[in-house]
Amino acid sequence: QLPTLQGLLARLLVVASSPYEREGHGCAALRLLKALHQTIHAAVGEIWGVEIPSLLQYIEAFLRTSLEKIDDSAWSSQISLELSWQMAGYASPSKEKGWSLSFSFLYKALGTSLAACQDLVHVKSQIHTLLMTADYMEAPERQ
């Protein structure tokens, strides 16, 4: 039994309201809303095309600001490890847009956390691991 369009919208809004809970599905929910705008309702396409990218930028800026405020290299190192772990969950990409958008967000968030980390050995190790394990056939990883 498939949900109604209103039910789908309600569920995606609930998931998006907590962007860092449930393994970061909130950002993916926002991106899915943007992709499904014609399916949800034709009238929302233009506004969602403007508003959703703004929300995603806000979330990325929120992470950066939070890490600056925390100003704890060990904490930043740990979040970078957690983000790397999240990326491992996307190791079997499909050709769906949702995968690449979530993966791109994780890469940006990982870069933000590494930029805030003052442990250069950790940063070098993480970057080395990323470079060695990247699938250069996939656009988000190649970028």
Side-chain angles (χ1 to χ4, degrees):
Q1 179 158 343
L2 297 175
T4 65
L5 294 177
Q6 293 84 351
L8 179 62
L9 175 60
R11 182 66 185 142
L12 289 173
L13 288 173
V14 168
V15 171
S17 70
S18 301
Y20 293 108
E21 290 182 15
R22 294 179 293 279
E23 300 177 1
H25 291 146
C27 293
L30 287 174
R31 288 183 174 98
L32 185 57
L33 279 172
K34 184 178 178 204
L36 293 175
H37 71 274
Q38 288 292 345
T39 304
I40 301 288
H41 198 286
V44 297
E46 188 175 325
I47 193 165
W48 285 10
V50 173
E51 295 295 326
I52 290 175
S54 297
L55 289 170
L56 292 169
Q57 286 178 342
Y58 179 79
I59 292 169
E60 291 165 6
F62 172 78
L63 174 61
R64 184 174 30 263
T65 304
S66 296
L67 289 172
E68 288 171 1
K69 187 71 172 173
I70 291 169
D71 194 25
D72 181 338
S73 188
W75 203 93
S76 297
S77 294
Q78 186 61 39
I79 196 166
S80 72
L81 291 173
E82 292 292 335
L83 289 164
S84 293
W85 180 81
Q86 293 291 322
M87 290 170 65
Y90 290 89
S92 300
S94 66
K95 298 300 179 193
E96 296 174 17
K97 244 186 186 179
W99 174 83
S100 63
L101 291 172
S102 296
F103 209 68
S104 293
F105 175 78
L106 285 170
Y107 262 115
K108 288 178 186 178
L110 178 58
T112 300
S113 67
L114 290 174
C117 182
Q118 298 170 358
D119 181 350
L120 295 182
V121 172
H122 174 76
V123 172
K124 286 180 182 181
S125 172
Q126 288 288 85
I127 290 173
H128 177 73
T129 300
L130 284 172
L131 292 173
M132 297 306 291
T133 60
D135 179 359
Y136 293 99
M137 298 302 289
E138 296 293 336
E141 292 188 58
R142 186 172 49 250
Q143 290 173 351

